[in-house]
């Protein structure tokens, strides 16, 4: 990889991380709890669609999630690690599934944040925040609420962002 391409990807990742963190912080300031509760509609998750256009979004989204959880949400270190890991896995899979489309929309890729956050954060909530023994039904409930918020963001704001990027031919600026 040449140095200019490397620097360009580093800058793109940093910009995506900053955007993710700023959107999360702004949302939390305007609507407390909407970006940090167990059931959330984190607007910044719409940026996950950027992983469909550039691999530089993968570290950018991961770092942005970590910064948001650590600095703005005051999350426990475990949540910083697990939330960022879920975002990382979702972004990697989104990038790999970018060409699998239905009527021009990468539906399988857009499911990835819901899948990974639902499972990982659902397990985290059930194991570390719900008192008593592990209950599979409770895990499904917790994970389902997390996944529902992710689906809401990805299939509304995410699809909208995706269509804007595609229709305005902006992907050349992101790649």
């Amino acid at each position: 990889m040449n140095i200019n391409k490397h620097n360009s990807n580093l800058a793109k990742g940093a910009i995506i991380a900053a955007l993710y963190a700023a959107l999360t912080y702004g949302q939390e300031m305007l609507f407390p709890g909407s970006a940090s509760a167990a059931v959330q509609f984190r607007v910044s998750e719409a940026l996950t669609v950027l992983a469909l256009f550039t691999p530089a979004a993968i570290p950018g989204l991961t770092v942005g999630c970590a910064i948001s959880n650590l600095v703005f949400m005051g999350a426990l270190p475990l949540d910083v690690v697990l939330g960022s890991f879920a975002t990382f896995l979702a972004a990697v899979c989104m990038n790999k599934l970018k060409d699998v489309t239905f009527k021009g929309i990468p539906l399988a890729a857009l499911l990835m944040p819901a899948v990974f956050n639902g499972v990982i954060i659902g397990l985290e909530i059930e194991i570390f925040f719900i008192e008593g023994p592990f209950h599979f039904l409770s895990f499904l409930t917790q994970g389902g609420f997390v996944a529902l918020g992710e689906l809401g963001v990805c299939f509304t704001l995410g699809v909208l962002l995706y269509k804007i990027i595609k229709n305005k031919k902006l992907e050349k600026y992101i790649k």
Side-chain angles (χ1 to χ4, degrees):
M1 176 184 288
N2 73 35
I3 193 75
N4 289 336
K5 180 75 169 162
H6 174 74
N7 287 343
S8 174
N9 284 340
L10 189 61
K12 287 174 193 169
I15 290 167
I16 292 167
L19 281 170
Y20 187 103
L23 281 171
T24 305
Y25 178 69
Q27 178 185 348
E28 195 63 21
M29 292 295 294
L30 291 171
F31 307 104
S34 65
S36 61
V39 179
Q40 59 184 257
F41 188 89
R42 192 179 276 194
V43 172
S44 51
E45 284 290 301
L47 296 175
T48 58
V49 301
L50 297 176
L52 301 170
F53 299 102
T54 178
I58 297 167
L61 293 165
T62 304
V63 170
C65 181
I67 290 169
S68 295
N69 287 349
L70 182 64
V71 177
F72 305 127
M73 302 304 137
L76 299 171
L78 179 67
D79 194 40
V80 173
V81 171
L82 292 177
S84 301
F85 183 60
T87 297
F88 170 77
L89 291 174
V92 167
C93 288
M94 288 179 81
N95 186 264
K96 300 292 183 201
L97 292 169
K98 66 185 171 218
D99 296 323
V100 179
T101 62
F102 178 75
K103 295 189 178 187
I105 307 278
L107 295 179
L110 290 169
L111 286 171
M112 294 301 104
V115 170
F116 285 104
N117 281 285
V119 171
I120 293 171
I121 305 306
L123 278 171
E124 176 189 3
I125 292 169
E126 178 60 26
I127 292 170
F128 297 105
F129 297 106
I130 304 295
E131 291 187 24
F134 180 89
H135 294 286
F136 189 71
L137 185 57
S138 178
F139 155 68
L140 289 178
T141 303
Q142 300 302 330
F145 282 132
V146 172
L148 191 59
E150 290 286 339
L151 285 172
V153 172
C154 290
F155 281 91
T156 57
L157 301 176
V159 169
L160 179 64
L161 181 58
Y162 178 81
K163 285 185 169 196
I164 289 169
I165 291 169
K166 287 299 240 183
N167 290 342
K168 299 292 183 183
K169 299 187 183 357
L170 300 173
E171 61 262 34
K172 62 185 171 195
Y173 301 108
I174 302 168
K175 289 187 186 246

